Amino acid sequence: MNIEEIKKNIEEDISSVISLNVLNEIKTKYLGKNGVITSLQLRIKEIPAEEKKEYGIMLNDIKGFFNDLFEKTRTKLLEEEVNRKLKDDAIDITLPGEGIISGSIHPFSRIIEEISDLFASMGYDVVDGNEIETDEYCFKRLNVPDGHPARDAQDTFYIDEEFLLRSQTSTQQAHAMEDNSEKTPIRIICPGKVYRRDEDATHSHQFGQVEGLVIDKNVSLADLKGTLEIFAKKLLGENTKVRFRPSYFPFTEPSVEVDLSCFKCGGKGCNLCKQTGFIEVLGAGMVHPNVLKMGGYDPDVYTGFAFGTGLDRLAMFKYNIPDIRYLYTNDIRMLKQFDRKGEE
Ligand code: DAH
C-alpha cells in the first residue's frame, strides 16, 4: 500500500469537487461498502501479525486524512451555497414600490361631510331621516294641503296608498318636532337623498338636499340670514354674498328664496348667473305657526327658521364640476380627482 499515492488520489478527487452531491459520491468511493479505504480495512485479516500494528497506524492516517479533507470541503461548499442563496434572494430595496391604490370620497359624500362639520361646529345635530315616508310627514305636517300640486303622483313616487319616497328633506322637520317630547329647542340639519318624478337633461329623479331647522324662543329672520351667511362664506369663500328675495313655501311664513353671489364671476355677471351676479341656491323662511302647532310647539312661545338646499348644485359650485351628470355617472377619471392625497 502506497500511502502517499492514496493521499494524492484523495486530494485530487476532493479538490475538483464543486457540489455536495459529488462530495458524497467521493465519500462512497473511499468509505462505501466497496470503497478504497474500506477494502484496505478488510485486508487487515491477511496481514501478518507483526505487521498489523503498522498497517493499522497507516490506515488510521489515511482515514484521518480523508475525513479532514472531506469536512473542510463540506464546510466550504455549505458556506458557498448559503452565500449563493443570500445573493439570489436578495431584495433590492432601491426598486420603486408598487404603491397603494386608494379610493376616493364621492363629491356628494364630501359635500355632506363638509356641511355636517360646519353645522356641527355651530351646535347642530346631524340627523338622517327615512327615505321612505308617509304622505303625512312629507306634506300634511308641513302645511301642504290636500290637493296641492306637490302631492301629485306626477311629481312624487308613491309606493302604495300610504308610502312614498320623500320628495324633500323637509320631512325631517315634522319628525324632529314630534320626536322631541320635552319640546325643548331644536337645532338640526338633515342631509340626504330625495326623489321626484322628473328626469331630463338638468334634473335627475334622485338628488341630494340638506334641510336645516332651528326652533327656540326669539328666533328671527335676522338669525336665519346670519346663519346662512356663515354657511355660505365658510363653504364657498369669505367673499360670498347672500341675498334674500320674498317667496312662498307652504311651511314657512314669511318665506324667502336665497341667492348667493355667483361663484364663477364673483358677482360681476357671467353666463352662469345670466349676468345677474347671483344664483338661486336655497329656500328658507320662518317656520309656519301651523307647522309648529302640528309639531307640538306653541307658536306664541316658540319661533323657528328652516332652510333647504340642493346638495348637487352646492357640490358643483364648490368643486367646479361643470355638469350635474358627472355626479351620477361615476366616471372613474372624475372620481379620482376627489381622493384625499395631499389634503391632510
Ligand atoms: N323643501 C323645499 C324644496 O324641496 C326647500 C325648502 C324651502 C326648505 C323652504 C325649507 C324652506 O326648509 O323653509 O324645494
Side-chain angles (χ1 to χ4, degrees), residues 243-248 255-259 278-282 284:
R243 184 172 80 174
F244 276 17
R245 278 182 293 109
S247 185
Y248 170 77
S255 301
V256 288
E257 258 163 70
V258 185
D259 302 334
F278 280 90
I279 296 177
E280 185 201 320
V281 175
L282 290 103

Side-chain angles (χ1 to χ4, degrees), residues 269-286:
C270 67
N271 57 350
L272 186 76
C273 59
K274 302 194 182 81
Q275 310 304 331
T276 62
F278 280 90
I279 296 177
E280 185 201 320
V281 175
L282 290 103
M286 300 305 292

Side-chain angles (χ1 to χ4, degrees), residues 52-272:
K52 266 199 169 76
K53 191 177 168 198
E54 200 187 334
Y55 190 84
I57 291 170
M58 277 192 322
L59 259 182
N60 280 343
D61 187 20
I62 291 172
K63 256 166 100 180
F65 181 79
F66 181 89
N67 283 336
D68 272 1
L69 208 55
F70 178 86
E71 273 314 315
K72 263 190 217 143
T73 310
R74 208 172 78 93
T75 312
K76 193 182 99 201
L77 287 174
L78 278 173
E79 253 171 38
E80 275 172 15
E81 192 171 295
V82 169
N83 287 339
R84 199 175 329 116
K85 270 207 178 130
L86 281 176
K87 205 169 145 219
D88 288 352
D89 298 350
I91 296 167
D92 182 354
I93 55 165
T94 64
L95 283 175
E98 283 193 354
I100 299 165
I101 299 165
S102 62
S104 58
I105 309 279
H106 192 280
F108 190 70
S109 305
R110 191 148 159 180
I111 196 90
I112 290 180
E113 263 181 38
E114 288 200 35
I115 293 174
S116 301
D117 285 353
L118 207 158
F119 277 100
S121 75
M122 295 198 276
Y124 286 62
D125 284 334
V126 180
V127 298
D128 249 351
N130 296 327
E131 287 172 30
I132 294 177
E133 265 298 349
T134 56
D135 177 278
E136 177 171 355
Y137 288 92
C138 199
F139 300 124
K140 197 169 142 214
R141 281 174 179 252
L142 289 168
N143 205 32
V144 180
D146 273 341
H148 190 283
R151 290 182 170 226
D152 199 324
Q154 298 290 326
D155 300 316
T156 308
F157 286 107
Y158 282 85
I159 294 167
D160 57 23
E161 290 284 300
E162 199 186 348
F163 293 103
L164 47 85
L165 294 180
R166 71 177 174 193
S167 55
Q168 50 184 353
T169 41
S170 306
T171 46
Q172 213 48 39
Q173 287 192 24
H175 283 295
M177 285 188 242
E178 189 184 57
D179 294 349
N180 188 340
S181 53
E182 305 286 316
K183 304 302 165 200
T184 48
I186 291 176
R187 216 174 250 104
I188 56 151
I189 61 158
C190 172
K193 295 186 200 108
V194 298
Y195 303 85
R196 285 186 202 171
R197 287 183 72 140
D198 50 4
E199 193 173 18
D200 57 34
T202 54
H203 293 90
S204 158
H205 62 274
Q206 177 213 297
F207 54 100
Q209 278 193 340
V210 59
E211 182 78 14
L213 175 71
V214 169
I215 295 176
D216 207 336
K217 289 171 185 159
N218 303 318
V219 176
S220 73
L221 204 63
D223 296 320
L224 170 64
K225 190 159 191 218
T227 304
L228 293 182
E229 252 164 23
I230 293 174
F231 167 60
K233 284 180 198 296
K234 288 264 181 267
L235 193 73
L236 300 172
E238 282 303 315
N239 296 327
T240 313
K241 287 187 199 65
V242 177
R243 184 172 80 174
F244 276 17
R245 278 182 293 109
S247 185
Y248 170 77
F249 296 102
F251 31 90
T252 41
E253 183 57 36
S255 301
V256 288
E257 258 163 70
V258 185
D259 302 334
L260 303 183
S261 52
C262 177
F263 74 98
K264 197 173 166 197
C265 64
K268 288 192 209 86
C270 67
N271 57 350
L272 186 76

